[in-house]
Amino acid sequence: MSLAIEAFVDNTRRYCDWIESDRHDVASVRQLLLALLQGVPYLITSGTDGCEDGDFPRREHDGWTKDVARLSDLPLQYYRVAFAPLAVDDESTVVGDVCDDLADIYSDLWHGLQAYDAGATIYAVNYWRDSYRDHWGQHATGAIAAIDAYIRTNGG
């Protein structure tokens, strides 16, 4: 396995540990998210290890609800976000939720980590890459934008 993927796994563990802790701050999570995003281009594998999505545990809705509640000590939650940022003529926005973002990211990273720890490295790397494209990447970039705005306005 490449050093870049090993670094991504280490950053994934740090992020999951941070979510699972009982203290949360915006400066730490910003660093964790930026480290994760830096590793995304290196999530490259070839082949398959024969594993399927249902082979590894997932965070169910009850777990997600607890994860969101655990993040209630963050000093910000809601923010404004463009739903389709590349549609420059569309001025509509939606409300983002940092706690939801961080819990959704955790859910995807945690699932991949369950596979990785079970020895399904190729599945885990492919899952992290694909779920970044389809899901957690949008949550990460939205959360970083909101957290950066908060830190610039209020300090970290």
Side-chain angles (χ1 to χ4, degrees):
M1 177 178 14
S2 75
L3 291 176
I5 291 176
E6 288 180 24
F8 185 85
V9 171
D10 289 343
N11 289 325
T12 295
R13 288 190 198 286
R14 282 189 202 92
Y15 180 82
C16 289
D17 288 345
W18 183 87
I19 291 287
E20 294 165 4
S21 74
D22 57 3
R23 292 176 135 189
H24 305 98
D25 64 285
V26 291
S28 294
V29 75
R30 178 176 64 173
Q31 291 301 100
L32 291 166
L33 290 171
L34 290 171
L36 286 166
L37 290 177
Q38 190 173 24
V40 168
Y42 303 101
L43 295 176
I44 301 167
T45 62
S46 60
T48 180
D49 49 16
C51 297
E52 296 182 18
D53 194 51
D55 292 345
F56 307 102
R58 286 193 168 277
R59 303 290 297 164
E60 300 298 333
H61 183 71
D62 287 344
W64 176 87
T65 301
K66 291 176 185 172
D67 299 335
V68 169
R70 185 184 301 128
L71 297 166
S72 66
D73 61 334
L74 285 170
L76 79 152
Q77 185 171 3
Y78 299 112
Y79 63 96
R80 182 176 163 204
V81 61
F83 186 69
L86 297 180
V88 294
D89 294 331
D90 182 357
E91 295 181 19
S92 61
T93 59
V94 296
V95 174
D97 181 334
V98 171
C99 297
D100 170 79
D101 291 333
L102 300 177
D104 277 5
I105 295 163
Y106 172 69
S107 179
D108 285 343
L109 295 178
W110 184 86
H111 174 73
L113 201 54
Q114 302 311 298
Y116 182 86
D117 288 345
T121 303
I122 294 172
Y123 172 87
V125 171
N126 288 338
Y127 180 80
W128 284 323
R129 180 198 61 229
D130 295 345
S131 63
Y132 167 80
R133 290 179 185 156
D134 298 336
H135 187 240
W136 73 266
Q138 187 168 359
H139 286 285
T141 56
I144 287 172
I147 290 166
D148 276 347
Y150 178 86
I151 289 172
R152 282 192 311 274
T153 303
N154 301 294

